[in-house]
Amino acid sequence: SQAVARSVVQAASVYLTPVTLELGGKCPCLIYGRINIQAAAQRLVWAKFFNAGQSCVAPDYVLCTEATRDALLPALSSVLEQFYGKEPQKCPDLSRIVSARHFTRLMKLLEQTKGKVVIGGESDQEDKYIAPTVVVDAGDDDALMAEEIFGPILPIFTVEELEKSIEFVNRHEKPLALYVFSDESSVVKTVMEKTSSGGFCSNDGIVHMTLPGLPFGGVGTSGWGSYHGRWSFETFSHRRACMMRGWALERLNTLRYPPYTEDKLKWLRWTTSQQSSCSLM
Amino acid sequence: SERASELYEILVLEAELHLSITRLAEWAAPRPVEKNLFTLLDEVYVKPEPLGVVLIIGPWNYPWSLTLLPLVGAIAAGNAAILKPSEISSNSSKVMEELLPLYLDKDLYQVVEGGVPEAQELLKQRFDHIFYTGSIAVGKLVMEAAARHLTPVTLELGGKSPCYIDKNCDVGIACRRITWAKLINCGQTCIAPDFILCEPSVLNRVVEEIKKCIKEFYADSTKTSDDYGRIINQRQFKRLVGLMEGCTIAFGGDADEAQGYIGPTVLKNVTGESKVMQEEIFGPLLPIITVNSVDEAIQFINEREKPLVLYVFSHDNKLIKKVIAETSSGALVANDCVVHFLDSALPFGGVGHSGMGRYRGRHTFDQLSNLRSCMIKQLRMEGLNSMRYPPHTAKKLSWARRFVLSHLNVQRLRNMVMLAMLASLAAFVVQRFLR
């Protein structure tokens, strides 16, 4: 979390220890333009309710038009039933909330939200179970926007224009991941160019972090540094610059030794103006 | 002198600007990465993007190059920047504040002059990256301040850079290069050779050679030569004079407080506990410590904090490789000093107490960018995804393993396809024409 990260960096500063911080944030999921609603719903449900939403890169909230929302809700319902059956609490593939403290935290969010629960909302304290829940009609200042949800609650905000949606995203801290669902590549491109995030994935969620070739990390309050694959190797290595010079051509070195004359300087200007990064000295 | 300034400050800036301008398109382009079977049809790449606003705090020893080199990278990476040049090099700071707004966009690039109170006020603000060049003590404070906003930092600090001279090397040439490097800017360089380690048998020769070089470089008098620098201020002057206590002066030791002049001074009978070995010298004092072997030298080096750079002078490559393998430092240069800074392809930076992060050339660009991982998928081929959707079964899992754990080196595949095509073409040619 960010609070603990601040203490970690402060502690590290005493010994000048470099740090890598993998934090979190609210990962927005924008759905705009022409779209294959069924495929989008499947991927969104998988990414959001995987591990009961307790993933740092889970889509935290959705932004879309009212029409898209109206088409999305029944699709979400049917996919949830497809994945977790008619009684999700009995499904072995649906996780539980990790601790009583987090269960209470999430239930409080559901109590405090000014939005309407349209799917799910059931819970069982003893089992630490919260059903996959979708909330609509909450405002920007809602309890669900005050912190990273990290649970199986998906708020959907309706914003008619893509531009305003991007502004909504940019009003908040840079997230660990940003998602866009659209069949229109111009929509994807616009969102990518006008926002900033640690990672970006179009038309899916979470999977960008399964590729070890991609650096996994945040930016701003979502983190500092990155890892996975070779990036991990680099993170935990010191890339030592090594230069082995020869003993020959010592005469050439007189160009750099004092006394400094205009002639010497002319030659040196010429060597350093070369495009290649090798030095003649 | 004016020429020395151009040599050590301006030339390197010009080279960096030239490099950045010509290579910017290459650096800023999306960088494709290796895919697996699962992501075969997707576009996957790392896209460098600006971080936002960068704070650059510059040092006083090379106020122009060390403050503006990071600025070049910051601008190349698409950031806005605030510069806080050192108040100790007050003339440079004033000129920078006057000139920069005349040539750069005033809204995006600003210069804030001032000392400690101004720096502290700046550090309370939120930046997207802080680039600090200076002392270890202040580096710690910068990082602590950055912690509040979780701002990443690059710290270019210092330390005592050891210089080992193998007794079997060409001591004359070695000493010439060392003397040159040590006396640039009167020793006030973070990568100057701080102290020498050598065997007792070459001690006198080293001292003699250094004396010879000084005569060669500065004619008869360093005091009157245009090319010999001065100590930046009274405080540093007094500090340096104090460091000479407790050692034998092999030669030099002249000091003139009114002029801020300290002559090149070689110290012997120095041990690890001497005053001059307790802090980075940053002046024209060169202690020589005797060690009986390279192993003893390595041990001496490893007992101390990791330096910004380590110098080894030897004709024996095995010895050089031994030093590389058994020590750690920001950089290592064999058989010369300081010049590694001129190669903009080499990442310049420290490790441990000598700093964190690196810059120069493309490295500055990468350091001041957000390297954003991007995966562009389409909503097609949804059938393939069923292996990851619940309900989870063993069969789905085994398919998933196959897809995710596959390693697809697209370049190698492409090469193999080309080879196959070439082979079939060759076979065709042989069949048709050469039968």
Side-chain angles (χ1 to χ4, degrees):
Chain A
S1 76
Q2 285 168 27
V4 177
R6 287 190 181 91
S7 315
V8 169
V9 180
Q10 267 188 341
S13 68
V14 173
Y15 296 105
L16 286 173
T17 305
V19 295
T20 300
L21 305 171
E22 295 288 329
L23 310 175
K26 297 181 73 62
C27 301
C29 180
L30 285 76
I31 310 182
Y32 283 88
R34 220 179 42 248
I35 181 159
N36 174 342
I37 274 283
Q38 189 58 31
Q42 277 183 259
R43 297 176 187 193
L44 179 57
V45 166
W46 176 78
K48 175 68 184 187
F49 299 107
F50 185 86
N51 201 20
Q54 294 161 119
S55 317
C56 46
V57 284
D60 191 275
Y61 62 94
V62 165
L63 288 162
C64 61
T65 62
E66 204 172 315
T68 307
R69 183 198 66 187
D70 292 337
L72 189 62
L73 287 172
L76 290 176
S77 276
S78 95
V79 171
L80 280 168
E81 196 176 309
Q82 199 184 313
F83 286 1
Y84 305 115
K86 284 197 162 54
E87 287 173 86
Q89 191 169 6
K90 296 208 174 105
C91 176
D93 294 328
L94 185 59
S95 306
R96 297 296 182 260
I97 308 305
V98 69
S99 68
R101 188 170 80 93
H102 278 283
F103 178 87
T104 312
R105 179 183 68 81
L106 287 162
M107 288 314 297
K108 210 159 157 206
L109 287 180
L110 274 179
E111 278 163 40
Q112 288 174 344
T113 179
K114 299 201 189 81
K116 195 169 67 175
V117 173
V118 289
I119 297 178
E122 300 90 19
S123 60
D124 181 339
Q125 183 156 19
E126 228 181 275
D127 197 13
K128 294 201 222 63
Y129 163 80
I130 298 180
T133 303
V134 179
V135 175
V136 300
D137 295 337
D140 191 359
D141 54 353
D142 196 86
L144 287 170
M145 283 305 287
E147 58 181 80
E148 187 178 354
I149 294 173
F150 221 69
I153 304 170
L154 180 65
I156 302 183
F157 296 93
T158 43
V159 178
E160 289 306 309
E161 292 109 25
L162 179 61
E163 288 297 325
K164 292 244 148 49
S165 214
I166 293 175
E167 276 170 37
F168 185 111
V169 168
N170 287 339
R171 278 202 294 274
H172 297 94
E173 293 292 343
K174 294 178 188 178
L176 186 51
L178 208 152
Y179 302 111
V180 188
F181 282 80
S182 182
D183 272 324
E184 290 175 45
S185 61
S186 59
V187 169
V188 173
K189 195 154 173 277
T190 308
V191 177
M192 196 200 287
E193 280 171 12
K194 298 207 171 157
T195 58
S196 177
S197 61
F200 179 92
C201 183
S202 70
N203 296 321
D204 214 327
I206 302 184
V207 288
H208 65 291
M209 69 170 279
T210 63
L211 206 58
L214 283 177
F216 179 67
V219 62
T221 51
S222 53
W224 172 358
S226 59
Y227 74 119
H228 276 190
R230 188 188 177 144
W231 301 89
S232 298
F233 180 86
E234 302 276 352
T235 295
F236 297 112
S237 298
H238 167 58
R239 280 180 296 162
R240 193 179 193 184
C242 295
M243 183 184 262
M244 311 298 157
R245 298 219 93 202
W247 292 89
L249 298 178
E250 179 59 12
R251 280 204 154 258
L252 261 181
N253 275 341
T254 48
L255 281 179
R256 60 167 157 155
Y257 298 150
Y260 301 121
T261 63
E262 194 53 36
D263 262 343
K264 281 188 185 178
L265 214 50
K266 268 208 197 84
W267 275 106
L268 285 167
R269 270 191 218 118
W270 178 78
T271 64
T272 53
S273 72
Q274 294 315 292
Q275 266 225 27
S276 68
S277 51
C278 75
S279 167
L280 275 185
M281 284 200 283
Chain B
S1 69
E2 192 186 313
R3 288 195 202 106
S5 292
E6 184 175 345
L7 180 57
Y8 299 121
E9 294 248 62
I10 311 296
L11 280 183
V12 70
L13 261 172
E14 276 186 43
E16 185 90 340
L17 278 163
H18 184 74
L19 179 73
S20 302
I21 292 171
T22 46
R23 297 282 194 88
L24 186 56
E26 186 191 315
W27 295 349
R31 305 169 191 182
V33 300
E34 231 176 272
K35 298 197 259 203
N36 56 21
L37 264 180
F38 184 62
T39 48
L40 185 57
L41 298 173
D42 309 322
E43 257 183 87
V44 187
Y45 51 84
V46 174
K47 183 163 172 276
E49 292 182 349
L51 284 170
V53 183
V54 179
L55 171 64
I56 300 172
I57 302 178
W60 53 259
N61 56 343
Y62 296 91
W64 290 92
S65 54
L66 298 185
T67 313
L68 296 184
L69 275 174
L71 179 63
V72 170
I75 297 176
N79 300 297
I82 292 192
L83 265 72
K84 208 225 58 76
S86 173
E87 74 283 12
I88 295 177
S89 47
S90 52
N91 295 326
S92 294
S93 172
K94 207 158 53 169
V95 172
M96 213 179 279
E97 211 243 342
E98 279 170 17
L99 289 183
L100 229 67
L102 299 177
Y103 298 94
L104 291 179
D105 188 318
K106 287 198 246 308
D107 289 327
L108 293 177
Y109 309 107
Q110 293 179 3
V111 180
V112 174
E113 274 202 277
V116 173
E118 284 79 7
Q120 282 175 334
E121 204 43 52
L122 271 173
L123 285 169
K124 284 197 195 128
Q125 311 305 314
R126 184 177 177 181
F127 290 94
D128 298 291
H129 195 102
I130 298 179
F131 194 109
Y132 170 76
T133 308
S135 73
I136 292 173
V138 179
K140 291 184 182 174
L141 297 173
V142 169
M143 189 172 172
E144 202 191 320
R148 210 175 311 130
H149 297 293
L150 288 175
T151 302
V153 298
T154 300
L155 304 173
E156 296 287 328
L157 309 177
K160 297 182 74 59
S161 302
C163 185
Y164 176 74
I165 306 180
D166 181 16
K167 67 173 189 273
N168 296 321
C169 78
D170 186 333
V171 178
I173 295 182
C175 288
R176 191 186 274 125
R177 299 178 181 185
I178 294 170
T179 309
W180 167 75
K182 181 69 177 183
L183 297 178
I184 299 176
N185 203 17
C186 215
Q188 295 161 120
T189 309
C190 47
I191 45 177
D194 192 275
F195 63 96
I196 290 179
L197 289 162
C198 65
E199 290 189 33
S201 52
V202 277
L203 175 65
N204 290 331
R205 174 98 197 277
V206 168
V207 174
E208 281 313 305
E209 290 291 342
I210 294 177
K211 237 201 225 163
K212 253 198 328 206
C213 289
I214 293 174
K215 254 210 173 70
E216 194 188 309
F217 294 165
Y218 303 106
D220 282 314
S221 168
T222 45
K223 204 164 185 190
T224 54
S225 165
D226 244 351
D227 296 325
Y228 188 77
R230 294 293 183 266
I231 306 305
I232 186 86
N233 62 18
Q234 284 285 314
R235 194 171 78 105
Q236 293 293 331
F237 179 91
K238 288 195 164 83
R239 180 186 68 84
L240 285 163
V241 167
L243 287 181
M244 293 195 247
E245 281 170 34
C247 309
T248 312
I249 295 181
F251 74 82
D254 318 309
D256 181 340
E257 191 165 342
Q259 270 199 44
Y261 164 83
I262 297 181
T265 305
V266 173
L267 303 167
K268 57 184 190 182
N269 295 333
V270 183
T271 65
E273 285 70 44
S274 305
K275 203 163 172 210
V276 76
M277 289 304 291
Q278 302 316 311
E279 56 183 86
E280 188 178 354
I281 295 170
F282 227 67
L285 314 178
L286 185 54
I288 305 181
I289 297 184
T290 48
V291 286
N292 293 318
S293 64
V294 71
D295 287 295
E296 217 180 285
I298 290 174
Q299 198 186 348
F300 187 94
I301 293 168
N302 287 340
E303 279 165 5
R304 290 164 171 72
E305 292 293 344
K306 297 177 187 179
L308 187 49
V309 61
L310 211 158
Y311 299 115
V312 191
F313 283 82
S314 175
H315 288 276
D316 182 358
N317 279 332
K318 274 219 224 51
L319 187 146
I320 297 174
K321 291 218 153 58
K322 184 182 162 77
V323 175
I324 295 180
E326 295 180 20
T327 60
S328 178
S329 60
L332 182 135
V333 184
N335 307 324
D336 209 333
C337 297
V338 166
V339 289
H340 63 296
F341 188 73
L342 296 168
D343 190 333
S344 53
L346 279 177
F348 182 80
V351 63
H353 271 212
S354 50
M356 60 175 83
R358 46 221 353 95
Y359 76 119
R360 283 297 267 123
R362 187 190 181 144
H363 302 287
T364 327
F365 179 88
D366 283 353
Q367 184 90 151
L368 300 178
S369 294
N370 172 25
L371 296 175
R372 193 182 195 184
S373 340
C374 297
M375 182 181 274
I376 313 298
K377 292 182 76 88
Q378 305 300 326
L379 285 167
R380 306 185 308 250
M381 306 276 283
E382 183 58 9
L384 259 180
N385 277 338
S386 57
M387 74 181 87
R388 59 166 154 150
Y389 295 152
H392 299 302
T393 63
K395 186 164 176 212
K396 282 188 185 178
L397 186 59
S398 71
W399 273 106
R401 282 186 75 88
R402 221 167 292 169
F403 270 75
V404 173
L405 296 178
S406 67
H407 219 36
L408 215 66
N409 190 335
V410 181
Q411 186 59 36
R412 204 182 298 159
L413 228 79
R414 223 175 270 156
N415 290 345
M416 282 172 58
V417 168
M418 290 293 296
L419 206 66
M421 282 172 63
L422 225 71
S424 36
L425 187 66
F428 172 75
V429 167
V430 164
Q431 266 235 344
R432 191 81 163 65
F433 299 108
L434 301 179
R435 268 280 207 81

